Amino acid sequence: MSTTATDYYELLEVSRSATPEEIKKAYRRLARELHPDVNPDLEHQEKFKRVTAAYEVLSDPEKRQMYDLGGDPLSNRGGGGFSGGFDFGDVMDAFFGGRGGGQRRGPRGRARRGQDALISITIDLQAAVFGEEKEIAVDTAISCEKCTGSGMADGTEAATCVMCKGHGEIQSVQQSFLGQVMTSRPCPACQGFGTTIPHPCVECSGQGRVRHRRNLTIEIPPGVDTGTRIQLQGQGEAGPNGGPAGDLYIEIVVRGHDLFERQGDQLHCVITIPMTSAALGTSINIETLDGPEDIAVAAGLQSGAVVTVKHKGASRLRSGNRGDLFVHINVETPRKLTAEQQTLMQQLAEMRDEKPNTVVTRAESPGVFSRLKEAFTNK
Ligand SMILES: [Zn+2]
Ligand SMILES: [Zn+2]
């Protein structure tokens, strides 16, 4: 889908039967002539781009063949031809080493955005489920109050750099395999700023920022879990010389709980009840994060059974909805029986026609145990 009938051979001033070596030579000659450091005007730069695109096609055997057959190997760049997204800085680097022609020139500003900061806080499960307002100490760079971020002592000004005369870069002529090439690099005297600070602010040593410990009150939303990061815009490190501050990230660690194990928005706990309660059925008062709660134990409840308490689990981040609490119930077999209890037990067994050597096989039993196991191991 070529829109420009550009003759790459003509651009490189070579014949259609030129060898790869001839093409390379031609490009080097043109690049030297059109190099943006030598001829920075727009017209030359445009021509340089076109020549570079031609070289890109003709130096690649596959692209050259495609081009020779009437296709345009650069047409799939959206825009077709030279203008679309071609990074000739890469080609420049390959040929000249160092910066290409596409970079910004002139002095760079001193102010830069500060870095993001990350701190980690540990909260308990209660806070993770219900949310919490918390005061934390944060240690970051803040803008220097004394010089308001400029880095300069009161009443003084920045001076134009004598080495680069304010350009921020030093140009030099280098010998390369292409011959003489003009290159530029950031000025070492002013680090490319174009100015120096003759009288730095004593408070911040000219950095425009100082380290400072402050207290921040943060809002922990319901539903956070270990690994959740809360982003506080502009609360990170202040930028050098009045630059904007980065963001502050607060990484949450949720402390383990004595009773509850969390899995996403579910909470699990294990309770043990006497065999007689399981057999007869009862109501048991258990501890939840929301306070005491009665749960019903149906008569005949088996060890490993799970009772679900709706909406008493952990919360989901953002929606605030609560998951469920799963109460895993162990039934305890009596450990020590008095002589009287033993007799009663034997009577019960006889009444129930339960022989001492009977094995009760229940198909669902393994399922119950694996579900319980799953609940505690699949984290
Ligand atoms: Zn200062
Ligand atoms: Zn300089």
Side-chain angles (χ1 to χ4, degrees):
M1 199 203 77
S2 178
T3 48
T4 16
T6 313
D7 190 333
Y8 292 142
Y9 291 101
E10 204 178 289
L11 265 171
L12 285 184
E13 298 167 22
V14 293
S15 75
R16 299 190 80 82
S17 57
T19 63
E21 196 46 50
E22 285 168 342
I23 288 168
K24 199 170 188 179
K25 238 168 137 179
Y27 176 63
R28 282 182 184 173
R29 182 178 51 77
L30 288 165
R32 201 158 46 219
E33 211 177 288
L34 302 167
H35 190 288
D37 277 337
V38 182
N39 284 300
D41 63 287
L42 268 180
E43 199 187 318
H44 278 88
Q45 282 199 34
E46 202 48 47
K47 175 121 194 260
F48 181 67
K49 279 189 206 173
R50 294 156 67 84
V51 163
T52 301
Y55 176 68
E56 197 203 350
V57 170
L58 297 185
S59 63
D60 180 322
E62 257 177 57
K63 287 182 186 160
R64 184 176 176 183
Q65 194 188 15
M66 186 178 164
Y67 177 72
D68 286 344
L69 292 170
D72 185 352
L74 302 183
S75 65
N76 59 353
R77 285 199 178 123
F82 310 117
S83 52
F86 178 53
D87 185 7
F88 74 79
D90 286 351
V91 179
M92 292 306 299
D93 283 353
F95 270 86
F96 298 94
R99 62 182 281 177
Q103 280 175 321
R104 196 179 58 84
R105 359 202 76 228
R108 61 193 180 104
R110 279 180 190 275
R112 270 171 295 138
R113 180 185 185 270
Q115 287 182 322
D116 294 336
L118 174 70
I119 60 170
S120 166
I121 61 165
T122 303
I123 59 172
D124 59 25
L125 184 62
Q126 194 86 15
V129 170
F130 296 108
E132 189 182 60
E133 202 175 74
K134 199 174 170 73
E135 193 175 82
I136 56 168
V138 186
D139 200 339
T140 63
I142 59 161
S143 187
C144 174
E145 273 179 27
K146 196 169 172 72
C147 63
T148 58
S150 73
M152 289 173 257
D154 236 6
T156 69
E157 282 181 352
T160 303
C161 174
V162 287
M163 190 162 175
C164 64
K165 299 181 178 60
H167 295 297
E169 53 187 29
I170 304 285
Q171 297 204 326
S172 59
V173 176
Q174 284 185 339
Q175 287 296 331
S176 75
F177 66 95
L178 292 161
Q180 285 196 342
V181 173
M182 186 99 82
T183 59
S184 51
R185 63 200 159 94
C187 171
C190 62
Q191 285 92 48
F193 296 129
T195 55
T196 54
I197 297 177
H199 307 285
C201 165
V202 288
E203 194 69 33
C204 62
S205 317
Q207 295 298 305
R209 54 181 187 166
V210 289
R211 290 217 75 80
H212 179 74
R213 197 177 175 82
R214 68 205 142 109
N215 286 332
L216 255 183
T217 304
I218 58 163
E219 195 69 49
I220 297 169
V224 296
D225 204 346
T226 294
T228 306
R229 282 185 179 186
I230 299 170
Q231 181 184 12
L232 299 177
Q233 266 179 9
Q235 297 282 7
E237 306 280 346
N241 300 99
D247 298 336
L248 174 64
Y249 289 88
I250 298 175
E251 188 165 276
I252 303 286
V253 177
V254 181
R255 214 177 273 125
H257 193 276
D258 288 346
L259 299 177
F260 303 107
E261 185 87 25
R262 177 177 177 183
Q263 282 193 310
D265 66 354
Q266 298 183 346
L267 287 181
H268 295 265
C269 69
V270 180
I271 61 167
T272 301
I273 61 170
M275 183 192 75
T276 44
S277 303
L280 301 170
T282 182
S283 167
I284 299 173
N285 191 259
I286 63 157
E287 205 53 54
T288 73
L289 287 181
D290 303 71
E293 176 98 12
D294 286 330
I295 61 164
V297 170
L301 180 127
Q302 301 295 310
S303 196
V306 181
V307 173
T308 306
V309 187
K310 286 274 172 205
H311 312 307
K312 292 288 190 278
S315 10
R316 286 164 216 140
L317 202 56
R318 280 177 279 277
S319 81
N321 295 335
R322 300 275 301 273
D324 300 334
L325 168 64
F326 296 86
V327 183
H328 301 257
I329 302 179
N330 280 332
V331 176
E332 192 175 55
T333 307
R335 288 166 204 278
K336 273 185 181 168
L337 297 176
T338 61
E340 194 187 357
Q341 288 166 350
Q342 250 177 34
T343 313
L344 274 170
M345 220 40 125
Q346 274 157 5
Q347 284 175 6
L348 180 66
E350 276 162 31
M351 281 167 76
R352 290 178 52 80
D353 206 18
E354 289 170 352
K355 305 263 181 328
N357 54 0
T358 310
V359 174
V360 185
T361 311
R362 298 282 303 264
E364 73 262 34
S365 297
V368 170
F369 286 113
S370 63
R371 270 207 303 282
L372 181 66
K373 220 176 125 199
E374 241 170 50
F376 286 91
T377 51
N378 284 2
K379 287 218 69 180

